[in-house]
């Protein structure tokens, strides 16, 4: 294969609108009920019309799909359910011709139990050193080596027939790699080059703060410092080496870094490490003006010392959809249910989600839009016998899992399966066709039309900093360059500040020209 010209880092990522593609649920090109690369390629004109700068693809690699593709068996092959490597190369090139860059997902903490390394390790080969194998505790080794628990519930260890145990911070089918071994580091640097050579402009790093483990694998003690496997100092050498690779190609990184300590978080964004990291405090904040403003201020403050841009996201493949979350009582975010309280008022949730879209797209930095958010999709209820997410089973059924936000998209109201393709791998709810993209494209008041207009008008806010404006309680108002954003989270309408033009509104103003509750506007100053 001829080597494409490496991507050029012209700073595009600092203010980009990036669209997250969960391939399995985006569009089915071959009619088998599973989304694929052919489906994405066919919908590239839709994405170009939406105006996005880049696509972030959840893992599309060969995988047994025990965790939605986050159990990778081969990083250099596309899963046959999605297509081929040649198709991926065409997709990357075709998107780039439309001005859309590609970001791929890397899952460095673990691989699939079907990965050649792990299969060789199970056969007793030297590859065992690439993972964390340990004898058990107890008189007969019948107890796990330590008390760590899986992110999906239950112990983080599985015992093999030979008596040894192996570590998996996620599902048993996802054995953790030993990042103290140089072969693990070299392999991942080679994987980065493999995809950068194919024109990929960036990489999203899954569970970016979990790779390094205390070599002694001690029991977890609340408050232990340093943590035995979260945010360990040796991680930064890994990302400095990765940054050197990315700089060869002008490529960029975005890390999935969940850390409450803002100073520790910012360390990952130093100029020789990651370019950006996801901002989860904003996504998990209830619909409350004071708390949202504090989240925005804290986010900008923690990024300022390292000169990194903030990122803003309302939803992703792991979190209950925005319309459903914001349609629930503001009882605070519950990580067990991925939601804010109950029950759900979809009309209320939609109004708030529309306003939140204008809020996030007006803020300085990059914005990530999860597929279907631009259609105003709510969370779907999945029948128990159709749930595939391992979080549900490993929690004993107490966690609903993440499948409700992964239901295949509705494209055409008048076609079978709402135009997705074949019978979807997850069931679409009754009435899903009402959200279809073709129907919304014809409606100037639809959520899709709002997103298209907002992305087109976003440059009105320029590249400058944010300045808060005086506003009543429950109202967020700020200026950037020559534009203002006002969001009314109070219960009653409010007057608009002085302005020269109304650029965009998430909903109609009232008869007196005031901004109703749960509504946002963009104004030209």
């Amino acid at each position: 294969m001829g080597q494409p010209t490496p991507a050029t880092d012209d700073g595009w990522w600092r203010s980009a609108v990036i669209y997250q593609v969960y391939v399995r649920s985006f569009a089915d090109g071959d009619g088998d009920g599973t989304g694929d690369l052919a489906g994405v390629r066919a919908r590239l004109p839709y994405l170009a019309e939406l105006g996005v700068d880049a696509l972030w693809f959840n893992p599309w690699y060969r995988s047994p799909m025990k965790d939605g593709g986050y159990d990778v068996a081969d990083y250099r092959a596309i899963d046959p359910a999605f297509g081929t490597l040649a198709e991926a190369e065409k997709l990357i090139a075709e998107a780039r011709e439309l001005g859309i860059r590609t970001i791929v997902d890397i899952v460095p903490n673990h691989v699939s139990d079907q990965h050649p390394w792990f299969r060789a390790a199970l056969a007793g080969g030297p590859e065992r050193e690439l993972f964390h194998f340990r004898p058990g505790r107890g008189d007969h080794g019948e107890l796990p080596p330590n008390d760590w628990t899986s992110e999906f519930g239950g112990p983080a260890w599985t015992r093999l027939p030979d008596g040894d145990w192996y570590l998996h911070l996620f599902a048993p089918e996802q054995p953790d790699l030993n990042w103290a071994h140089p072969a693990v580091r070299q392999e991942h640097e080679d994987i980065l080059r493999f995809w950068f050579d194919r024109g990929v402009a960036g990489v999203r790093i899954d569970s970016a703060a979990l790779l390094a483990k205390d070599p002694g694998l001690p029991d977890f003690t609340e408050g232990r410092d340093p943590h035995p496997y979260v945010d360990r100092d040796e991680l930064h050498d890994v990302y400095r080496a990765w940054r050197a690779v990315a700089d060869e190609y002008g490529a960029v990184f975005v890390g999935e870094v969940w850390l409450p300590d803002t100073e520790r978080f910012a360390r990952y964004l130093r100029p020789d490490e990651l370019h950006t990291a996801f901002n989860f405090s904003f996504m998990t904040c209830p619909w409350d003006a004071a708390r949202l403003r504090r989240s925005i201020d804290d986010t900008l403050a923690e990024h300022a010392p390292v000169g990194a841009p903030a990122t803003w996201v309302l939803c992703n493949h792991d979190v209950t959809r925005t319309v459903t979350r914001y349609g629930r009582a503001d009882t605070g975010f519950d990580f067990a249910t991925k939601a804010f309280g109950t029950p759900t008022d979809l009309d209320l949730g939609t109004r708030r989600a529309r306003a939140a879209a204008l809020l996030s797209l007006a803020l300085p930095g990059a914005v990530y839009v999860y597929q279907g958010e631009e259609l105003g999709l709510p969370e779907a209820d999945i029948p128990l016998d159709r749930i595939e997410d391992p979080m549900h089973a490993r929690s004993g059924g107490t966690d609903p899992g993440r499948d409700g936000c992964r239901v295949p998209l509705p494209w055409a109201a008048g076609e079978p399966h709402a135009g997705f393709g074949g019978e979807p791998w997850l069931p679409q709810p009754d009435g899903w066709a009402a959200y279809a993209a073709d129907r919304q494209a014809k409606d100037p008041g639809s959520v899709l039309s709002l997103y298209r207009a907002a992305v087109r008008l976003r440059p009105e806010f320029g590249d400058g900093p944010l300045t808060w404006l005086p506003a009543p309680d429950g109202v967020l108002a700020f200026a950037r360059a020559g534009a203002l954003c006002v969001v009314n989270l109070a219960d009653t309408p409010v007057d608009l500040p002085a302005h020269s033009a109304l650029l965009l509104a998430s909903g109609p103003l009232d008869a007196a020209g005031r901004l109703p509750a749960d509504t946002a506007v963009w104004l030209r100053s």
Side-chain angles (χ1 to χ4, degrees):
M1 184 193 80
Q3 301 301 316
T5 303
T8 299
D9 177 12
D10 56 5
W12 65 271
W13 45 277
R14 289 185 167 272
S15 58
V17 177
I18 301 167
Y19 187 92
Q20 180 186 354
V21 179
Y22 192 80
V23 177
R24 197 177 183 189
S25 297
F26 185 72
D28 172 18
D30 62 9
D32 66 356
T34 295
D36 48 36
L37 301 189
V40 179
R41 291 174 64 199
R43 299 294 179 179
L44 283 175
Y46 167 88
L47 295 165
E49 188 170 1
L50 185 58
V52 299
D53 300 294
L55 306 178
W56 156 35
F57 289 91
N58 289 101
W60 56 14
Y61 316 107
R62 186 183 297 276
S63 168
M65 297 292 167
K66 299 297 184 181
D67 181 26
Y70 282 88
D71 48 321
V72 178
D74 185 350
Y75 271 112
R76 296 172 178 84
I78 299 297
D79 193 89
F82 300 149
T84 65
L85 180 59
E87 282 184 283
E89 291 169 350
K90 288 180 182 178
L91 171 54
I92 293 166
E94 289 167 356
R96 194 65 186 88
E97 289 175 0
L98 294 171
I100 301 173
R101 294 171 169 87
T102 297
I103 297 171
V104 297
D105 218 313
I106 296 292
V107 192
N109 179 71
H110 49 263
V111 292
S112 165
D113 61 357
Q114 300 303 305
H115 191 283
W117 278 1
F118 194 70
R119 297 176 74 174
L122 293 183
E127 289 82 359
R128 287 176 84 90
E129 297 179 4
L130 306 178
F131 300 90
H132 299 278
F133 286 89
R134 294 291 188 277
R137 298 190 292 192
D139 294 339
H140 306 287
E142 72 278 8
L143 300 176
N146 65 28
D147 64 356
W148 297 1
T149 58
S150 164
E151 296 288 319
F152 289 168
W157 295 90
T158 291
R159 196 179 193 189
L160 297 169
D162 65 9
D164 270 358
W165 298 72
Y166 69 89
L167 176 66
H168 53 85
L169 289 181
F170 293 86
E173 296 86 358
Q174 297 167 291
D176 279 35
L177 290 166
N178 174 17
W179 274 86
H181 198 290
V184 173
R185 294 184 58 160
Q186 185 61 54
E187 169 67 357
H188 282 77
E189 291 174 24
D190 291 347
I191 290 167
L192 293 176
R193 287 193 170 90
F194 179 88
W195 287 105
F196 292 153
D197 282 340
R198 281 155 180 80
V200 163
V203 167
R204 180 262 189 184
I205 307 168
D206 181 71
S207 300
L210 301 185
L211 280 56
K213 276 74 174 180
D214 185 320
L217 299 179
D219 281 344
F220 176 79
T221 302
E222 194 68 39
R224 175 188 286 272
D225 187 20
H227 194 288
Y229 60 83
V230 176
D231 183 37
R232 295 184 60 81
D233 286 343
E234 53 265 42
L235 258 179
H236 296 283
D237 286 339
V238 171
Y239 293 135
R240 288 189 187 98
W242 284 27
R243 178 60 177 260
V245 174
D247 285 349
E248 294 175 23
Y249 294 86
V252 299
F253 293 120
V254 56
E256 183 191 29
V257 183
W258 291 77
L259 292 177
D261 186 321
T262 58
E263 187 277 329
R264 298 286 299 185
F265 173 86
R267 295 179 69 200
Y268 289 85
L269 301 176
R270 289 175 291 195
D272 61 345
E273 296 192 41
L274 307 183
H275 300 74
T276 61
F278 284 120
N279 167 24
F280 293 111
S281 71
F282 182 78
M283 181 179 68
T284 58
C285 194
W287 189 247
D288 177 89
R291 294 177 66 175
L292 280 168
R293 175 166 175 168
R294 185 162 60 249
S295 174
I296 293 166
D297 284 340
D298 289 349
T299 297
L300 295 176
E302 70 190 16
H303 285 74
V306 288
T311 64
W312 311 99
V313 59
L314 296 172
C315 183
N316 63 30
H317 64 294
D318 288 333
V319 178
T320 299
R321 284 197 177 274
T322 311
V323 165
T324 298
R325 289 202 326 271
Y326 282 156
R328 291 172 172 166
D330 298 332
T331 56
F333 189 77
D334 182 350
F335 280 93
T337 62
K338 317 290 187 305
F340 298 103
T342 54
T344 299
D345 178 341
L346 290 183
D347 288 338
L348 174 64
T350 300
R351 288 199 304 275
R352 290 177 171 179
R354 291 172 64 101
L358 293 196
L359 170 61
S360 62
L361 286 163
L363 294 169
V367 177
Y368 284 77
V369 178
Y370 177 48
Q371 65 180 42
E373 288 292 287
E374 82 281 9
L375 301 177
L377 295 182
E379 187 80 355
D381 290 327
I382 308 298
L384 293 180
D385 63 347
R386 296 292 301 275
I387 293 177
E388 296 201 12
D389 186 1
M391 293 186 73
H392 178 72
R394 287 185 62 82
S395 69
T398 60
D399 190 312
R402 300 161 293 178
D403 289 344
C405 65
R406 300 175 178 182
V407 172
L409 298 188
W411 289 102
E415 296 182 13
H417 315 300
F420 172 71
E423 182 177 352
W425 68 279
L426 280 176
Q428 294 172 320
D430 293 339
W432 208 236
Y435 297 97
D438 68 340
R439 177 177 292 180
Q440 293 203 36
K442 301 172 186 175
D443 177 5
S446 70
V447 179
L448 176 58
S449 294
L450 177 71
Y451 264 90
R452 286 177 173 176
V455 175
R456 184 179 68 253
L457 291 168
R458 191 166 183 256
E460 293 272 350
F461 288 94
D463 297 324
L466 177 153
T467 301
W468 291 107
L469 304 175
D473 289 344
V475 176
L476 299 175
F478 60 85
R480 290 183 60 219
L484 315 177
C485 177
V486 185
V487 188
N488 184 8
L489 295 88
D491 295 329
T492 57
V494 296
D495 292 326
L496 297 178
H499 60 280
S500 63
L502 173 64
L503 295 171
L504 189 62
S506 67
L509 303 182
D510 71 7
R514 296 175 301 177
L515 185 65
D518 301 315
T519 308
V521 290
W522 288 359
L523 307 170
R524 185 173 289 138
S525 58

